[in-house]
Structure formats: C-alpha cells, structure tokens
Amino acid sequence: MEKLTSEQIEDKMASLEGWDYVDDGIETSFEFKNFKEAFTVMTRIAFECEAQNHHPEWSNVYNSLHIRLSTHDAQGVTEKDFKLAGSIEKIIESD
C-alpha cells in the first residue's frame, strides 16, 4: 500500500466530515450518550477493523472515543485508512 501525498489526502478529506489530517494520520472524535453506547459502537468498529485487517489507534474515556488511522507499513496515510474511515462513518451514522 502506497503512502498518499498531502494533496491526495486533502482531496479525500473533503469527503470525511469531522476528520482531521494530523502528523501523518487522520483522526476524529465522537461523543456518545454514555459508556455503554460508546463501547457498543467500539465493538462494531472492532469487527469491521478485523474484517479489513486494519486496526486503529484509539482511546475511550467514558462516553468519548478518539480514533486515529495511519498505515504503519507505509509510514503515513493510504487508501486503506480512508476505506476504514468510510466504514466507521457508516457505523456511526447507522446508530
């Protein structure tokens, strides 16, 4: 998987509302009603990550979830990150 250029990343960022390009990764945060809701969504995202064989850096505190995507083998952002980000968005929107 090839690392995308800054220009390619900026073009693709236009389709991801609420995501930012920071230090060779794309990241976002979500806030939920409570811990149970946050954990439920994290579980759904985890199954999708496993299916795509691409795993985020993430952190959870009570009802908040922070997700960061970067392809470590490419040392930056690739198509793989945008594919997973799109899947995460669909999971969030379906909830």
Side-chain angles (χ1 to χ4, degrees):
M1 188 72 38
E2 248 183 70
K3 180 178 174 179
L4 298 174
T5 66
S6 293
E7 186 176 277
Q8 290 171 314
I9 293 167
E10 291 302 325
D11 287 344
K12 290 183 172 297
M13 292 299 294
S15 67
L16 287 177
E17 188 176 327
W19 290 75
D20 297 304
Y21 175 49
V22 180
D23 298 327
D24 286 325
I26 58 174
E27 52 188 57
T28 193
S29 294
F30 300 104
E31 194 168 301
F32 303 93
K33 188 169 44 177
N34 53 42
F35 176 74
K36 182 179 176 181
E37 188 177 302
F39 194 82
T40 298
V41 172
M42 289 175 67
T43 302
R44 292 178 61 207
I45 292 170
F47 278 100
E48 182 60 30
C49 293
E50 194 63 22
Q52 291 187 29
N53 194 30
H54 192 42
H55 306 92
E57 295 175 27
W58 62 4
S59 61
N60 163 249
V61 177
Y62 181 58
N63 69 334
S64 66
L65 172 61
H66 181 80
I67 301 173
R68 177 176 168 76
L69 302 175
S70 180
T71 304
H72 299 288
D73 293 343
Q75 298 179 346
V77 178
T78 67
E79 290 287 346
K80 198 172 186 176
D81 299 301
F82 282 99
K83 179 181 178 192
L84 182 54
S87 297
I88 290 169
E89 286 298 314
K90 286 179 185 171
I91 290 168
I92 296 294
E93 290 168 8
S94 72
D95 228 28

